Amino acid sequence: MDASHAVDHQIGGHPEQDHQIGGHPERDHDLREQEGPVIMKDLPGTPGTIGGLVLRIGQFLFAAASVVIMVTDAGFINFTAFCYLAAAMALQFLWSFLLATLDVYALLIKRGLPNSILLSLFVVGDWVTATLSLAAACSTAGLTVLFDKDLNYCDQMHCRRYQLSATMAFLSWVLIAISSHLTLWLLASECFSQN
């Protein structure tokens, strides 16, 4: 047996045999023409899938946790980085909640979201919110490290609470980064499949 040569087997019989058994050669030919190139519509995590919904739910839950943890301390308003984190995470919560709602709608009607314009909007929105979220999480983490390690100011304020809020923001950002990359790949595959 020679394993170095590819073997090409047809699945099913000949069109004449299918027609005799009850198949329709015209309809079978139309189905083969509609298949076209393989695109990444079924990639887990893309918009309109269960994975995409799970990513969006994780994003808005971590963003909500970050905001709640931050605003439960009245002293956060005195620091710009902490206010920025609360605002950025509130925006992230709204964006992710909106997209999770669209994912639920797409799952209910059992259709994906392959519209190129809609996917472009998702990619740009994810990039904007991801940039804001990462900047806010980094500034909050940097400020808490300054207060804790350099100024020994954490005895007078709740540094652990701010660190936990920054951690939730980082976790939300990781999920945003994953979903934005998957959506970008889906958008690229959609654009290339149309050419």
Side-chain angles (χ1 to χ4, degrees), residues 80-82 84-85 132-145 166 170:
T80 306
F82 298 158
Y84 176 52
L85 180 75
L132 293 173
S133 298
L134 182 62
C138 289
S139 65
T140 299
L143 194 57
T144 55
V145 167
F170 276 118

PDB file of all heavy atoms in Angstrom, residues 80-82 84-85 132-145 166 170:
ATOM      1  N   THR A  80      -8.272  61.526  39.819  1.00  0.00           N
ATOM      2  CA  THR A  80      -8.683  61.501  38.417  1.00  0.00           C
ATOM      3  C   THR A  80      -8.617  60.096  37.826  1.00  0.00           C
ATOM      4  O   THR A  80      -9.510  59.693  37.072  1.00  0.00           O
ATOM      5  CB  THR A  80      -7.800  62.456  37.590  1.00  0.00           C
ATOM      6  OG1 THR A  80      -7.840  63.736  38.192  1.00  0.00           O
ATOM      7  CG2 THR A  80      -8.275  62.551  36.167  1.00  0.00           C
ATOM      8  N   ALA A  81      -7.581  59.344  38.154  1.00  0.00           N
ATOM      9  CA  ALA A  81      -7.434  57.991  37.599  1.00  0.00           C
ATOM     10  C   ALA A  81      -8.587  57.091  38.025  1.00  0.00           C
ATOM     11  O   ALA A  81      -9.090  56.288  37.230  1.00  0.00           O
ATOM     12  CB  ALA A  81      -6.101  57.387  38.034  1.00  0.00           C
ATOM     13  N   PHE A  82      -9.036  57.232  39.263  1.00  0.00           N
ATOM     14  CA  PHE A  82     -10.136  56.408  39.745  1.00  0.00           C
ATOM     15  C   PHE A  82     -11.462  56.812  39.084  1.00  0.00           C
ATOM     16  O   PHE A  82     -12.282  55.958  38.750  1.00  0.00           O
ATOM     17  CB  PHE A  82     -10.247  56.492  41.264  1.00  0.00           C
ATOM     18  CG  PHE A  82      -9.030  55.985  42.001  1.00  0.00           C
ATOM     19  CD1 PHE A  82      -8.778  56.382  43.295  1.00  0.00           C
ATOM     20  CD2 PHE A  82      -8.125  55.110  41.403  1.00  0.00           C
ATOM     21  CE1 PHE A  82      -7.675  55.915  43.989  1.00  0.00           C
ATOM     22  CE2 PHE A  82      -7.018  54.641  42.075  1.00  0.00           C
ATOM     23  CZ  PHE A  82      -6.789  55.048  43.384  1.00  0.00           C
ATOM     24  N   TYR A  84     -11.665  58.155  36.139  1.00  0.00           N
ATOM     25  CA  TYR A  84     -11.525  57.704  34.757  1.00  0.00           C
ATOM     26  C   TYR A  84     -11.855  56.221  34.636  1.00  0.00           C
ATOM     27  O   TYR A  84     -12.532  55.798  33.693  1.00  0.00           O
ATOM     28  CB  TYR A  84     -10.105  58.007  34.260  1.00  0.00           C
ATOM     29  CG  TYR A  84      -9.790  57.523  32.879  1.00  0.00           C
ATOM     30  CD1 TYR A  84     -10.617  57.831  31.802  1.00  0.00           C
ATOM     31  CD2 TYR A  84      -8.663  56.751  32.630  1.00  0.00           C
ATOM     32  CE1 TYR A  84     -10.325  57.391  30.515  1.00  0.00           C
ATOM     33  CE2 TYR A  84      -8.361  56.312  31.362  1.00  0.00           C
ATOM     34  CZ  TYR A  84      -9.192  56.627  30.309  1.00  0.00           C
ATOM     35  OH  TYR A  84      -8.908  56.182  29.051  1.00  0.00           O
ATOM     36  N   LEU A  85     -11.411  55.424  35.601  1.00  0.00           N
ATOM     37  CA  LEU A  85     -11.730  53.993  35.581  1.00  0.00           C
ATOM     38  C   LEU A  85     -13.236  53.781  35.693  1.00  0.00           C
ATOM     39  O   LEU A  85     -13.800  52.970  34.947  1.00  0.00           O
ATOM     40  CB  LEU A  85     -11.013  53.252  36.714  1.00  0.00           C
ATOM     41  CG  LEU A  85     -11.312  51.752  36.758  1.00  0.00           C
ATOM     42  CD1 LEU A  85     -10.573  51.021  35.661  1.00  0.00           C
ATOM     43  CD2 LEU A  85     -10.970  51.166  38.103  1.00  0.00           C
ATOM     44  N   LEU A 132      -9.705  52.451  26.017  1.00  0.00           N
ATOM     45  CA  LEU A 132     -10.098  53.197  27.211  1.00  0.00           C
ATOM     46  C   LEU A 132      -9.997  52.332  28.468  1.00  0.00           C
ATOM     47  O   LEU A 132      -9.525  52.791  29.513  1.00  0.00           O
ATOM     48  CB  LEU A 132     -11.524  53.732  27.056  1.00  0.00           C
ATOM     49  CG  LEU A 132     -11.742  54.806  26.001  1.00  0.00           C
ATOM     50  CD1 LEU A 132     -13.228  55.107  25.863  1.00  0.00           C
ATOM     51  CD2 LEU A 132     -10.969  56.064  26.339  1.00  0.00           C
ATOM     52  N   SER A 133     -10.426  51.079  28.370  1.00  0.00           N
ATOM     53  CA  SER A 133     -10.404  50.183  29.534  1.00  0.00           C
ATOM     54  C   SER A 133      -8.985  49.866  29.976  1.00  0.00           C
ATOM     55  O   SER A 133      -8.687  49.878  31.175  1.00  0.00           O
ATOM     56  CB  SER A 133     -11.133  48.880  29.211  1.00  0.00           C
ATOM     57  OG  SER A 133     -12.471  49.129  28.916  1.00  0.00           O
ATOM     58  N   LEU A 134      -8.116  49.601  29.006  1.00  0.00           N
ATOM     59  CA  LEU A 134      -6.725  49.297  29.363  1.00  0.00           C
ATOM     60  C   LEU A 134      -6.038  50.511  29.967  1.00  0.00           C
ATOM     61  O   LEU A 134      -5.323  50.398  30.971  1.00  0.00           O
ATOM     62  CB  LEU A 134      -5.952  48.799  28.140  1.00  0.00           C
ATOM     63  CG  LEU A 134      -4.499  48.403  28.396  1.00  0.00           C
ATOM     64  CD1 LEU A 134      -4.417  47.249  29.390  1.00  0.00           C
ATOM     65  CD2 LEU A 134      -3.803  48.050  27.108  1.00  0.00           C
ATOM     66  N   ALA A 135      -6.260  51.684  29.391  1.00  0.00           N
ATOM     67  CA  ALA A 135      -5.646  52.902  29.936  1.00  0.00           C
ATOM     68  C   ALA A 135      -6.154  53.182  31.350  1.00  0.00           C
ATOM     69  O   ALA A 135      -5.368  53.536  32.245  1.00  0.00           O
ATOM     70  CB  ALA A 135      -5.940  54.084  29.019  1.00  0.00           C
ATOM     71  N   ALA A 136      -7.449  53.009  31.572  1.00  0.00           N
ATOM     72  CA  ALA A 136      -8.012  53.255  32.899  1.00  0.00           C
ATOM     73  C   ALA A 136      -7.500  52.244  33.914  1.00  0.00           C
ATOM     74  O   ALA A 136      -7.157  52.608  35.048  1.00  0.00           O
ATOM     75  CB  ALA A 136      -9.535  53.200  32.828  1.00  0.00           C
ATOM     76  N   ALA A 137      -7.429  50.975  33.528  1.00  0.00           N
ATOM     77  CA  ALA A 137      -6.940  49.945  34.449  1.00  0.00           C
ATOM     78  C   ALA A 137      -5.470  50.177  34.788  1.00  0.00           C
ATOM     79  O   ALA A 137      -5.066  50.045  35.952  1.00  0.00           O
ATOM     80  CB  ALA A 137      -7.143  48.568  33.839  1.00  0.00           C
ATOM     81  N   CYS A 138      -4.676  50.549  33.793  1.00  0.00           N
ATOM     82  CA  CYS A 138      -3.251  50.797  34.037  1.00  0.00           C
ATOM     83  C   CYS A 138      -3.036  52.022  34.926  1.00  0.00           C
ATOM     84  O   CYS A 138      -2.182  52.002  35.816  1.00  0.00           O
ATOM     85  CB  CYS A 138      -2.510  50.981  32.716  1.00  0.00           C
ATOM     86  SG  CYS A 138      -2.329  49.472  31.767  1.00  0.00           S
ATOM     87  N   SER A 139      -3.794  53.078  34.681  1.00  0.00           N
ATOM     88  CA  SER A 139      -3.620  54.279  35.506  1.00  0.00           C
ATOM     89  C   SER A 139      -4.047  54.021  36.951  1.00  0.00           C
ATOM     90  O   SER A 139      -3.383  54.468  37.890  1.00  0.00           O
ATOM     91  CB  SER A 139      -4.398  55.459  34.916  1.00  0.00           C
ATOM     92  OG  SER A 139      -5.780  55.219  34.943  1.00  0.00           O
ATOM     93  N   THR A 140      -5.120  53.269  37.138  1.00  0.00           N
ATOM     94  CA  THR A 140      -5.562  52.938  38.491  1.00  0.00           C
ATOM     95  C   THR A 140      -4.557  52.031  39.184  1.00  0.00           C
ATOM     96  O   THR A 140      -4.224  52.244  40.367  1.00  0.00           O
ATOM     97  CB  THR A 140      -6.948  52.261  38.452  1.00  0.00           C
ATOM     98  OG1 THR A 140      -7.869  53.174  37.888  1.00  0.00           O
ATOM     99  CG2 THR A 140      -7.406  51.856  39.826  1.00  0.00           C
ATOM    100  N   ALA A 141      -4.062  51.039  38.471  1.00  0.00           N
ATOM    101  CA  ALA A 141      -3.068  50.139  39.066  1.00  0.00           C
ATOM    102  C   ALA A 141      -1.789  50.901  39.407  1.00  0.00           C
ATOM    103  O   ALA A 141      -1.203  50.703  40.478  1.00  0.00           O
ATOM    104  CB  ALA A 141      -2.766  48.994  38.108  1.00  0.00           C
ATOM    105  N   GLY A 142      -1.368  51.781  38.518  1.00  0.00           N
ATOM    106  CA  GLY A 142      -0.164  52.572  38.793  1.00  0.00           C
ATOM    107  C   GLY A 142      -0.318  53.481  39.997  1.00  0.00           C
ATOM    108  O   GLY A 142       0.600  53.624  40.816  1.00  0.00           O
ATOM    109  N   LEU A 143      -1.484  54.089  40.121  1.00  0.00           N
ATOM    110  CA  LEU A 143      -1.733  54.974  41.259  1.00  0.00           C
ATOM    111  C   LEU A 143      -1.795  54.201  42.569  1.00  0.00           C
ATOM    112  O   LEU A 143      -1.271  54.660  43.593  1.00  0.00           O
ATOM    113  CB  LEU A 143      -3.031  55.755  41.034  1.00  0.00           C
ATOM    114  CG  LEU A 143      -3.279  56.946  41.934  1.00  0.00           C
ATOM    115  CD1 LEU A 143      -2.136  57.952  41.853  1.00  0.00           C
ATOM    116  CD2 LEU A 143      -4.588  57.613  41.560  1.00  0.00           C
ATOM    117  N   THR A 144      -2.394  53.017  42.558  1.00  0.00           N
ATOM    118  CA  THR A 144      -2.446  52.232  43.797  1.00  0.00           C
ATOM    119  C   THR A 144      -1.060  51.723  44.189  1.00  0.00           C
ATOM    120  O   THR A 144      -0.748  51.652  45.378  1.00  0.00           O
ATOM    121  CB  THR A 144      -3.424  51.043  43.673  1.00  0.00           C
ATOM    122  OG1 THR A 144      -3.070  50.252  42.558  1.00  0.00           O
ATOM    123  CG2 THR A 144      -4.842  51.534  43.536  1.00  0.00           C
ATOM    124  N   VAL A 145      -0.232  51.386  43.210  1.00  0.00           N
ATOM    125  CA  VAL A 145       1.141  50.984  43.525  1.00  0.00           C
ATOM    126  C   VAL A 145       1.907  52.164  44.114  1.00  0.00           C
ATOM    127  O   VAL A 145       2.654  52.017  45.088  1.00  0.00           O
ATOM    128  CB  VAL A 145       1.862  50.430  42.269  1.00  0.00           C
ATOM    129  CG1 VAL A 145       3.357  50.304  42.494  1.00  0.00           C
ATOM    130  CG2 VAL A 145       1.272  49.085  41.883  1.00  0.00           C
ATOM    131  N   ALA A 166      -9.243  47.600  39.712  1.00  0.00           N
ATOM    132  CA  ALA A 166      -8.339  47.564  38.556  1.00  0.00           C
ATOM    133  C   ALA A 166      -8.209  46.148  37.998  1.00  0.00           C
ATOM    134  O   ALA A 166      -8.152  45.953  36.775  1.00  0.00           O
ATOM    135  CB  ALA A 166      -6.964  48.112  38.940  1.00  0.00           C
ATOM    136  N   PHE A 170      -8.976  44.897  34.225  1.00  0.00           N
ATOM    137  CA  PHE A 170      -8.052  44.121  33.388  1.00  0.00           C
ATOM    138  C   PHE A 170      -8.724  42.859  32.844  1.00  0.00           C
ATOM    139  O   PHE A 170      -8.537  42.507  31.675  1.00  0.00           O
ATOM    140  CB  PHE A 170      -6.785  43.742  34.160  1.00  0.00           C
ATOM    141  CG  PHE A 170      -5.730  44.797  34.179  1.00  0.00           C
ATOM    142  CD1 PHE A 170      -5.313  45.360  35.367  1.00  0.00           C
ATOM    143  CD2 PHE A 170      -5.131  45.242  33.005  1.00  0.00           C
ATOM    144  CE1 PHE A 170      -4.336  46.340  35.399  1.00  0.00           C
ATOM    145  CE2 PHE A 170      -4.152  46.222  33.018  1.00  0.00           C
ATOM    146  CZ  PHE A 170      -3.759  46.769  34.222  1.00  0.00           C
TER     147      PHE A 170
END
